[in-house]
Amino acid sequence: MKKKLNLLAKETLFVIVLVFLISWSQVYKTKREFYQLTVYHFTTAEQEKMLDNYLQNALLPALHKINISNIGVFKAISNDTAAAKKIYVY
């Protein structure tokens, strides 16, 4: 009888630990985040217009459609004198 109770206690403990590990792993998976930084380089106003059009009408709507909503598009201020300008998409 004592061996039966001891075995039952071990099985119960095993099940409790297993349930805890499974639930903890599910919580951990939902908190994972991935980040991607893409830098687009351009030099002319025509290239900038094409990039703006692509980001506004193609990329961002496609990302929103697949439930990726935390997206930022960053562009340097207009009086930037650098020859090669950049747009950052994060």
Side-chain angles (χ1 to χ4, degrees), residues 13-29:
L13 181 62
F14 175 74
V15 169
I16 291 171
V17 170
L18 185 62
V19 168
F20 173 75
L21 289 175
I22 290 172
S23 65
W24 180 76
S25 69
Q26 295 302 321
V27 170
Y28 179 72
K29 283 182 183 179

Side-chain angles (χ1 to χ4, degrees), residues 61-74:
L63 292 174
H64 288 147
K65 191 173 183 177
I66 59 172
N67 294 325
I68 299 175
S69 58
N70 295 332
I71 306 161
V73 177
F74 305 96

Side-chain angles (χ1 to χ4, degrees), residues 1-53:
M1 178 89 170
K2 206 174 200 182
K3 284 185 179 182
K4 207 175 204 183
L5 286 175
N6 197 11
L7 181 61
L8 183 61
K10 286 181 182 180
E11 289 176 351
T12 305
L13 181 62
F14 175 74
V15 169
I16 291 171
V17 170
L18 185 62
V19 168
F20 173 75
L21 289 175
I22 290 172
S23 65
W24 180 76
S25 69
Q26 295 302 321
V27 170
Y28 179 72
K29 283 182 183 179
T30 59
K31 291 185 178 183
R32 292 175 63 181
E33 294 182 5
F34 295 94
Y35 297 93
Q36 176 178 337
L37 175 64
T38 305
V39 181
Y40 294 94
H41 299 264
F42 62 93
T43 54
T44 66
E46 181 183 345
Q47 290 173 338
E48 181 180 11
K49 186 177 177 182
M50 287 175 55
L51 272 172
D52 287 341
N53 185 38

